[in-house]
């Protein structure tokens, strides 16, 4: 039962409502579920998140950003994710390393080999059992996200940045279909949830 599941997508694709929905489905089917997020999930990780998303370091270098994402991840793995999995719990994480490939690799155009070296170093062989990517055109995400609060340091990037993030996510799903899937998030919430449910069954997280 100890599965590691992550949810991804650009801003405004409905991560929050769908995380809640996935958690309910997992719990109904008997998973003891830990819900957590990146960057964050630990005291130190949440402090790093504050630094990463605040406007006080507007000109942070892309390498610094990358290393801080992985520093938060190392702490998260050692304090929360690995102990929970070892304890037989299912970990549901709001973003993980696929976000680094999408945002730092796609958005910031950093060398993907650097990211994969850090991934191997920090995670060893650990990869999520399933990553669900909520996919929608950038304009749709923008329109939905725009209705919320002030954009943070990353959210305030331009559409071409998010277009590259979206493309990197699609590329990841094409490259690793055995553990990463796309869900069309431009549809209604009920339709999105139907697709998510079907994926959880298809990837053997839930029984049919
Ligand atoms: P969110 O989880 O509230 O959407 O915000 C986290 C922000 O951090 C979001 O803009 C994506 C970004 N991010 C990265 O750039 N790289 C990463 O590795 C992770 C986990 C998040």
């Amino acid at each position: 039962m100890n599965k590691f599941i992550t949810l991804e997508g650009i801003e405004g694709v409905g991560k929050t409502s769908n995380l809640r929905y996935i958690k309910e489905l997992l719990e109904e089917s008997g998973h003891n579920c830990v819900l957590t997020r990146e960057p964050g999930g630990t005291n130190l990780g949440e402090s790093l998140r504050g630094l990463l998303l605040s406007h006080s370091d507007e000109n942070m270098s892309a390498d610094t950003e990358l290393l801080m994402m992985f520093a938060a991840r190392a702490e998260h793995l050692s304090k929360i994710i690995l102990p929970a999995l070892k304890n037989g719990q299912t970990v549901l994480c709001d973003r993980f390393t696929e976000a680094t490939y999408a945002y730092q690799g796609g958005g910031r155009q950093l060398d993907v080999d650097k990211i994969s070296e850090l991934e191997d170093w920090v995670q060893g062989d650990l990869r999520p059992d399933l990553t669900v990517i909520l996919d929608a055109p950038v304009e749709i995400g923008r329109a939905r996200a725009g209705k919320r609060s002030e954009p943070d340091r990353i959210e305030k990037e331009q559409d071409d940045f998010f277009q590259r993030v979206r493309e990197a996510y699609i590329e990841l799903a094409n490259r690793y279909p055995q553990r990463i899937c796309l869900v069309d998030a431009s549809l209604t919430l009920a339709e999105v949830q139907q697709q998510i449910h079907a994926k959880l069954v298809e990837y053997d997280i839930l029984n049919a």
Side-chain angles (χ1 to χ4, degrees), residues 58-70:
E58 211 60 71
N59 297 321
M60 178 185 296
S61 90
D63 279 343
T64 307
E65 184 179 280
L66 172 66
L67 290 166
M68 282 171 68
M69 293 293 176
F70 270 103

Side-chain angles (χ1 to χ4, degrees), residues 7-60:
L7 188 64
E8 300 277 356
I10 57 170
E11 328 298 322
V13 290
K15 253 182 333 104
T16 308
S17 342
N18 287 302
L19 268 173
R20 239 179 287 128
Y21 173 68
I22 296 173
K23 184 166 186 278
E24 275 167 29
L25 287 178
L26 289 169
E27 285 175 346
E28 274 166 20
S29 76
H31 288 257
N32 178 352
C33 194
V34 174
L35 178 61
T36 184
R37 70 171 179 181
E38 289 212 352
T42 63
N43 285 339
L44 176 58
E46 291 294 328
S47 302
L48 289 170
R49 179 187 178 92
L51 293 170
L52 278 160
L53 301 185
S54 87
H55 292 280
S56 57
D57 286 292
E58 211 60 71
N59 297 321
M60 178 185 296

